[in-house]
Amino acid sequence: PLKKCTTCKQAAYCGVECLQAAREVHRRGCAPPLPLHEVFESVDAADQASDWRQVVRFGGRMEEMLEAEKDDACCDILRAFSRAHMLGISGSAKEEHAVEVVRLEGRRIDLLGKTGRFR
């Protein structure tokens, strides 16, 4: 299992050597995680502004967001992250955004089926 930074809980490393190699660069932007309510506000504001990079930045907190919400809100959270990755496809042309869109949309469709909103 990957080891996460004990401060930001976002950066993950395969071991001590990788952590030490990345320490100087990571330390510049490392900060304790925002409280969850601030993450929700930031993701919502960034989604409304179509700032896909800002939404994707909070991808490490998505599972925590989903656990804190009811099914309807979870669909909206998944949609926001999916939309951000769709914008990321055209903004960066990186294949990982397309893979993430498929994964997120699959989860959202399953959830919509479970709640009866998708027929």
Side-chain angles (χ1 to χ4, degrees), residues 57-116:
R57 181 177 149 238
F58 287 105
R61 302 286 301 272
M62 186 183 75
E63 293 301 326
E64 185 181 357
M65 294 171 73
L66 293 171
E67 289 174 15
E69 289 298 320
K70 302 229 182 310
D71 289 343
D72 288 346
C74 288
C75 289
D76 294 337
I77 293 166
L78 289 167
R79 183 183 302 115
F81 280 97
S82 179
R83 188 171 28 238
H85 283 286
M86 282 188 234
L87 292 169
I89 293 168
S90 60
S92 72
K94 291 187 177 177
E95 182 179 319
E96 67 236 24
H97 289 296
V99 170
E100 196 63 9
V101 167
V102 171
R103 186 182 76 79
L104 291 169
E105 284 300 303
R107 283 184 72 182
R108 192 167 73 86
I109 287 167
D110 288 345
L111 188 57
L112 287 169
K114 181 178 129 188
T115 62

Side-chain angles (χ1 to χ4, degrees), residues 7-102:
T7 302
C8 71
K9 314 274 192 282
Q10 297 295 311
Y13 303 99
C14 58
V16 176
E17 289 177 9
C18 289
L19 182 143
Q20 290 173 341
R23 181 174 287 152
E24 282 306 311
V25 173
H26 176 70
R27 190 179 290 171
R28 291 181 212 143
C30 181
L34 290 174
L36 194 56
H37 72 277
E38 289 183 33
V39 173
F40 276 104
E41 292 168 4
S42 297
V43 167
D44 186 49
D47 182 42
Q48 290 181 27
S50 295
D51 185 353
W52 67 271
R53 285 182 176 88
Q54 185 68 10
V55 175
V56 170
R57 181 177 149 238
F58 287 105
R61 302 286 301 272
M62 186 183 75
E63 293 301 326
E64 185 181 357
M65 294 171 73
L66 293 171
E67 289 174 15
E69 289 298 320
K70 302 229 182 310
D71 289 343
D72 288 346
C74 288
C75 289
D76 294 337
I77 293 166
L78 289 167
R79 183 183 302 115
F81 280 97
S82 179
R83 188 171 28 238
H85 283 286
M86 282 188 234
L87 292 169
I89 293 168
S90 60
S92 72
K94 291 187 177 177
E95 182 179 319
E96 67 236 24
H97 289 296
V99 170
E100 196 63 9
V101 167
V102 171

